[in-house]
Amino acid sequence: MTSYVPPLRNLRFVLDEMAGLPDILTTEMYNHVDTETVHMVLEEVGRFMAEVVAPTNVDGDQIGSNWSEGGVVTTPDSFKAAYSKIVESGYAAIPFDPDFGGGGFPWVTALAIQELLTSSDMAFSLCNLLTQGAIDAIIHHGEEEQKNTYLPKMLTGEWTGTMNLSEPQAGSDVGAVATKAEPVGDGSYRITGQKIWITFGEHDMADNIIHLVLARTPGAAPGTRGISMFLVPKFLVNSDGSLGDRNDVSCVSIEHKLGIHGSPTCVLAYGDNEGALGWLVGDEFTGMRNMFTMMNNARLSVGLQGVSVAERAYQLSLGYAQERLQGTAVGGEKGVQSPIIEHADVRRLLMTQRSWIDAMRYLIYINGGLLDLANAGVDAAQRESARERASLLIPLSKSLCTDVANETTSLGVQVFGGMGYVEETGAAQHMRDARIGAIYEGTNGIQAADLVGRKLPMRGGQVVEDLLSEFEDIADELREDDRLVRFGDNLVEACGAARTAGRWLLDNGSDLNAALAGSSPYLRLLGTVVCGGYSAKAALVAQGNLEGSEGEFYGARFVSARYFGEQILPQVVGLEKAVTAGSDQLFALSAKQLAI
Amino acid sequence: MCRRAHVLGLDQVVKLSSTMHAMKVVVCVKQIPDPADPGALDPETRTLKRDVKLILDESDSYGVEMALQLVEAAGEGEVTLVSMAPNNERSGLATALAMGAASATLVSDPALVGTDALTTAKILAATIKDQGADLVIAGSESSDGYTGTVPEQIAAVLDLPSVTAAKSVEVDGSNILVKRQTDAGYDSIICPMPAVISVTAGVVEPRYPSFKGIMAAKSKPVEEKLAADLGFEEDQVGWSGSGQEIVEVAEAPTREAGDIIEDDGEAHVKIVEFLESLKVI
């Protein structure tokens, strides 16, 4: 629809000055990489994504992926062409182990590549994202032979990967998985059962697809404790690495969805004939635990999808607002139509998007940088403190960024007025594509329960408290600059609201319904405070660079952060009361009364 | 005098048995301000400000790609780059090195600010002449200055044959066979090597640098030279050595509103008439 301009300067700012990339690159694990190399890579990747992948976005939506008799799934031709170029480029391997052909770069740099890919075409990007998850699982839990057989081709993208958790009766409740794995006796298993929601479970972009499947072995305990993970390739792999027989797995159908039409969401049938051959990944009964090792990365990536789609929608709406002439703006020449960007309310639509996108990017990349430090930190204390803060931020990154993306992509539509409701402008696609983010990879309600049930209680609430105290210190610095006093005051007040709400949840945690009733508003509250705190940090970084050669860029960050502090952050004060209101009114009506 | 390239009639193009030998191709590349964010004209000099980040001119990426393909077809050899810039910006060269070029020479000298096309050609020719190139490839014209004369001037300075507007190039023994784009179709040209050819945009599909290519580019040599290293005196380059002057810069005329033809069943006739008036059909 329109072109995509990779926000490379913003990524450089976020990585180098917000997410601590330079520090991460001093660790033993990553000191073979330097920031200039990272940005050189991002520049080339950005150009590639804008020129090769971004033009596929409309095809993905309008042609979509299609299923035909025999379980064949056909992606748009432009997908196949772009995917083969991604394979040639080797970009997908950048964050992974050099032993299997990777570049050994930190995860936070992989996030930047992912953003560039996802903004270009979210539906298309899911194939790489799922492959990334499968690679991660095999690296952490696979046998050496599995790693050597599958990883090199998965790192290039020649083979793709999938994650198979859900079944018709087992969605958010993964413990209800019923797919069976019968041992054959030679170390392999025969898998039978049906899996649903399998992203890129079948497609025509790669030679082979490596499915990771959760299933139960005979006699396994009920619930999540009895689940094991199996590797089930679409085509069996011969000992010389060549492809052998087709395995007994087939695509029964694909879903017809609100958005991400290019991404085939498959129903996969395992073992319609003799049973699909599969091999254990990790020990028996560790499937669920092993799946959780990828959970942080996966949830962070979905949060990043929110930012990525929001960015593309923002660019589109900004372009329209600059060109569309309607009405005469205040102060404009009478009788001469002004670009709508000159109208105050359109400005608000744009600034709200701009400011949220900046703030969400800080949250996501700081979270990613902390995950790197949790692995690579110089000592145990640094690793542990990074790990616990990263864990706290994960549900915020996932939920807040996907919730807000729903709002900002909708604002993007609003900028277009009636034309935004017309598909041809492309604004609606971003809104439809963004909608899934709040649903998959653990619904945002589940993220809120994770925040209140697991993350807030870490060290008796002290992990949250440490972060709030840091923000209050930053607020003191804001107040030293006349332009930032209001932001500083708002930040102190917002931290107070977060503290009161968190304390109430901890004190009332024994009333589970009350805590869960307040969980979603609390997530919104804390997430907004964290975005406010990081925006404050960005304002302080920008403040020192307003007069330099890049004054225009830093000036934009400075104002965007101030807008957050003055226009968005105050919203949390109202949320405090929703968090602490308890569950009485949620359950006061009977199921029948709800229909009245 | 240049040795002459020969324009062949189509029937004269015969495929000679090609004897492969190592190909050394020098590609002239220019680093320009990003056309997506081009910056401003310097009101004093009436030239583009170049104190911003520079990227590889897209029109040169075709030359780099064609050179890489010729070396790959030959089985051995290498592609080297020559470039000239008033500062030591290298990011455009990095892209070409990441695509697969082996090394680069960058004539980087503040004294070069204001250098005209002919002096540019002389400087580039001075960096090329001792490289033992079989072929020198350049874009037809840069995407910022558009003088479009440098490749031919390099050929003249080096006393090499010059073939312009190449849409395809094939090596045949010690000659190259070039299809040269014309308004009517193309000329088939046979030309002895070494030679200088200029390529037009779109003739090949430039590859994107792979991750391995980007990483490898970091350790590829970029030799920086000053104008003086190549034997140029200060008054021979830059503004003082320039034989041209930019006397005026004017805004391009704004686009006029087009004619809208409503389809009343006869629209096709009007469209045909319009196309005929343009003499395109």
Side-chain angles (χ1 to χ4, degrees):
Chain A
M1 204 65 40
T2 57
S3 55
Y4 164 60
V5 181
L8 294 172
R9 186 64 191 87
N10 266 303
L11 289 175
R12 180 185 274 260
F13 172 67
V14 174
L15 289 171
D16 292 2
E17 300 188 76
M18 296 295 294
L21 178 65
D23 288 342
I24 294 165
L25 297 183
T26 62
T27 62
E28 204 182 330
M29 197 179 284
Y30 296 120
N31 64 13
H32 63 104
V33 187
D34 58 83
T35 51
E36 279 320 300
T37 304
V38 168
H39 294 297
M40 199 194 293
V41 170
L42 290 181
E43 273 179 34
E44 295 297 348
V45 173
R47 188 164 66 87
F48 175 93
M49 295 302 173
E51 293 176 8
V52 175
V53 180
T56 68
N57 194 48
V58 174
D59 276 2
D61 190 53
Q62 292 177 5
I63 301 172
S65 284
N66 293 288
W67 184 92
S68 53
E69 225 33 72
V72 176
V73 174
T74 310
T75 58
D77 289 344
S78 58
F79 271 37
K80 289 184 270 285
Y83 191 79
S84 72
K85 285 197 172 139
I86 287 205
V87 172
E88 278 170 32
S89 75
Y91 296 154
I94 288 175
F96 291 111
D97 190 341
D99 286 350
F100 302 107
F105 275 40
W107 195 254
V108 74
T109 62
L111 288 176
I113 293 169
Q114 233 175 75
E115 176 181 333
L116 296 166
L117 172 61
T118 309
S119 289
S120 296
D121 186 337
M122 177 170 160
F124 178 85
S125 77
L126 286 164
C127 188
N128 281 81
L129 187 63
L130 271 291
T131 304
Q132 207 166 273
I135 289 170
D136 226 6
I138 297 170
I139 282 182
H140 280 100
H141 307 294
E143 304 279 338
E144 278 312 302
E145 196 193 333
Q146 288 173 334
K147 292 182 189 176
N148 293 328
T149 304
Y150 297 102
L151 288 179
K153 296 223 167 195
M154 292 177 78
L155 260 66
T156 59
E158 286 165 274
W159 297 352
T160 66
T162 71
M163 306 298 270
N164 295 235
L165 284 77
S166 299
E167 298 173 13
Q169 77 296 343
S172 291
D173 182 7
V174 183
V177 157
T179 294
K180 285 188 187 138
E182 296 277 348
V184 172
D186 61 355
S188 67
Y189 290 76
R190 291 278 176 191
I191 315 288
T192 50
Q194 195 178 72
K195 291 288 181 181
I196 59 172
W197 308 134
I198 311 307
T199 301
F200 278 92
E202 175 57 33
H203 62 85
D204 55 356
M205 304 199 304
D207 296 336
N208 204 3
I209 303 174
I210 312 305
H211 304 290
L212 294 182
V213 183
L214 293 187
R216 285 180 194 287
T217 46
T224 52
R225 285 174 306 136
I227 293 175
S228 307
M229 188 196 287
F230 295 88
L231 185 155
V232 185
K234 173 181 168 184
F235 286 100
L236 300 173
V237 179
N238 298 323
S239 53
D240 64 354
S242 62
L243 295 185
D245 292 340
R246 175 86 192 233
N247 209 348
D248 186 10
V249 49
S250 62
C251 177
V252 180
S253 63
I254 65 173
E255 311 297 342
H256 301 102
K257 309 188 295 291
L258 176 66
I260 53 169
H261 296 157
S263 164
T265 304
C266 303
V267 177
L268 292 185
Y270 288 87
D272 272 355
N273 300 304
E274 67 282 9
L277 271 177
W279 290 266
L280 263 175
V281 179
D283 293 334
E284 200 176 2
F285 309 132
T286 60
M288 206 53 212
R289 208 175 65 213
N290 294 347
M291 202 56 96
F292 266 94
T293 43
M294 283 90 67
M295 209 63 98
N296 278 343
N297 283 348
R299 289 181 171 174
L300 190 57
S301 290
V302 173
L304 178 64
Q305 288 177 349
V307 181
S308 308
V309 180
E311 167 75 34
R312 186 81 187 262
Y314 172 65
Q315 288 190 14
L316 185 68
S317 65
L318 177 62
Y320 185 76
Q322 285 164 338
E323 287 178 5
R324 172 71 175 162
L325 303 174
Q326 278 296 280
T328 306
V330 175
E333 194 184 329
K334 211 175 169 195
V336 177
Q337 289 191 319
S338 312
I340 59 171
I341 195 170
E342 298 304 334
H343 298 297
D345 191 59
V346 176
R347 277 292 170 131
R348 178 176 291 278
L349 298 175
L350 294 168
M351 275 307 294
T352 304
Q353 293 182 69
R354 168 81 273 165
S355 184
W356 262 123
I357 291 166
D358 283 350
M360 292 192 293
R361 211 178 254 131
Y362 305 146
L363 168 59
I364 293 281
Y365 287 84
I366 287 172
N367 201 165
L370 288 167
L371 286 178
D372 281 324
L373 282 180
N375 286 327
V378 285
D379 54 36
Q382 190 190 35
R383 288 194 293 273
E384 176 54 20
S385 95
R387 190 200 59 75
E388 63 177 16
R389 180 161 295 178
S391 311
L392 169 66
L393 295 184
I394 287 289
L396 304 180
S397 294
K398 195 277 177 184
S399 289
L400 188 80
C401 297
T402 54
D403 279 341
V404 171
N406 283 328
E407 297 164 20
T408 62
T409 53
S410 178
L411 296 181
V413 170
Q414 194 71 19
V415 170
F416 278 84
M419 288 308 292
Y421 204 65
V422 172
E423 287 286 356
E424 278 80 350
T425 56
Q429 184 196 339
H430 300 310
M431 195 178 114
R432 290 186 285 101
D433 285 351
R435 191 62 189 86
I436 186 62
I439 299 170
Y440 61 18
E441 202 51 48
T443 64
N444 285 3
I446 286 183
Q447 305 302 321
D450 175 50
L451 175 65
V452 169
R454 294 200 191 93
K455 306 298 170 64
L456 170 63
M458 287 191 294
R459 282 201 281 122
Q462 197 56 40
V463 177
V464 176
E465 182 51 39
D466 289 349
L467 188 57
L468 296 176
S469 307
E470 277 177 34
F471 291 155
E472 284 165 337
D473 291 344
I474 291 175
D476 287 342
E477 284 186 66
L478 294 180
R479 287 158 150 175
E480 288 169 17
D481 182 331
D482 287 346
R483 295 164 297 182
L484 299 173
V485 170
R486 185 190 279 249
F487 189 173
D489 291 346
N490 288 348
L491 185 55
V492 170
E493 191 182 11
C495 287
R499 190 174 283 121
T500 308
R503 180 52 51 201
W504 188 91
L505 289 168
L506 287 171
D507 290 347
N508 292 276
S510 55
D511 179 357
L512 260 185
N513 257 340
L516 290 172
S519 62
S520 279
Y522 177 65
L523 189 149
R524 178 75 181 208
L525 190 167
L526 187 63
T528 309
V529 171
V530 171
C531 282
Y534 290 147
S535 293
K537 185 180 164 190
L540 293 176
V541 175
Q543 182 191 44
N545 293 289
L546 296 174
E547 307 302 329
S549 60
E550 291 197 285
E552 203 175 23
F553 171 79
Y554 284 101
R557 300 290 71 71
F558 188 73
V559 172
S560 170
R562 275 188 71 182
Y563 183 88
F564 198 96
E566 295 179 18
Q567 299 266 357
I568 297 173
L569 189 56
Q571 295 166 7
V572 304
V573 178
L575 289 167
E576 178 199 319
K577 290 186 177 163
V579 176
T580 57
S583 62
D584 290 354
Q585 302 311 313
L586 294 188
F587 290 95
L589 295 182
S590 69
K592 191 178 165 199
Q593 276 179 297
L594 273 168
I596 300 173
Chain B
M1 279 297 289
C2 287
R3 282 178 286 153
R4 300 287 300 175
H6 303 285
V7 179
L8 305 178
L10 272 181
D11 56 342
Q12 289 175 276
V13 179
V14 269
K15 284 241 165 173
L16 306 170
S17 63
S18 45
T19 45
M20 297 285 182
H21 78 295
M23 278 286 289
K24 164 100 183 186
V25 185
V26 175
V27 185
C28 304
V29 295
K30 188 171 183 183
Q31 304 178 98
I32 63 168
D34 189 343
D37 183 19
L41 286 179
D42 183 333
E44 254 180 53
T45 65
R46 302 190 184 91
T47 55
L48 205 53
K49 285 186 181 172
R50 292 174 193 283
D51 52 356
V52 294
K53 187 178 162 48
L54 304 178
I55 64 167
L56 178 66
D57 187 344
E58 192 192 345
S59 66
D60 289 328
S61 65
Y62 300 100
V64 174
E65 178 62 39
M66 187 171 274
L68 291 169
Q69 288 185 11
L70 287 170
V71 169
E72 282 160 11
E76 55 179 321
E78 67 174 17
V79 175
T80 60
L81 310 168
V82 295
S83 188
M84 190 183 105
N87 60 29
N88 59 355
E89 174 68 45
R90 290 178 176 203
S91 46
L93 291 177
T95 297
L97 292 168
M99 286 171 73
S103 63
T105 306
L106 174 64
V107 187
S108 163
D109 195 331
L112 294 172
V113 174
T115 300
D116 65 4
L118 179 58
T119 314
T120 302
K122 287 177 182 168
I123 289 169
L124 291 177
T127 62
I128 294 167
K129 72 175 174 7
D130 297 326
Q131 292 203 27
D134 297 298
L135 207 55
V136 178
I137 299 182
S140 290
E141 56 185 1
S142 63
S143 308
D144 58 346
Y146 289 107
T147 47
T149 55
V150 170
E152 299 76 40
Q153 288 169 329
I154 291 173
V157 173
L158 293 174
D159 195 19
L160 293 177
S162 160
V163 183
T164 56
K167 64 189 279 249
S168 76
V169 180
E170 208 179 311
V171 173
D172 197 347
S174 59
N175 293 322
I176 44 170
L177 305 175
V178 180
K179 286 182 180 157
R180 180 181 179 280
Q181 188 70 54
T182 67
D183 288 344
Y186 60 84
D187 293 336
S188 290
I189 292 174
I190 185 165
C191 172
M193 290 193 287
V196 179
I197 59 177
S198 68
V199 297
T200 44
V203 290
V204 282
E205 189 185 349
R207 69 196 65 188
Y208 289 91
S210 67
F211 176 58
K212 287 198 173 116
I214 298 166
M215 297 307 281
K218 285 169 49 184
S219 51
K220 289 179 176 176
V222 178
E223 189 185 359
E224 281 193 32
K225 287 188 172 171
L226 296 167
D229 298 335
L230 297 163
F232 291 88
E233 303 289 335
E234 211 164 290
D235 61 358
Q236 291 177 302
V237 299
W239 289 113
S240 49
S242 178
Q244 67 185 36
E245 192 187 343
I246 302 166
V247 288
E248 196 188 342
V249 177
E251 291 272 341
T254 50
R255 224 169 33 166
E256 289 174 15
D259 292 325
I260 295 169
I261 300 172
E262 297 275 353
D263 188 8
D264 51 2
E266 296 297 314
H268 61 283
V269 179
K270 291 177 188 160
I271 289 170
V272 169
E273 277 170 10
F274 173 70
L275 293 174
E276 277 173 349
S277 77
L278 293 178
K279 296 193 168 44
V280 294
I281 55 173

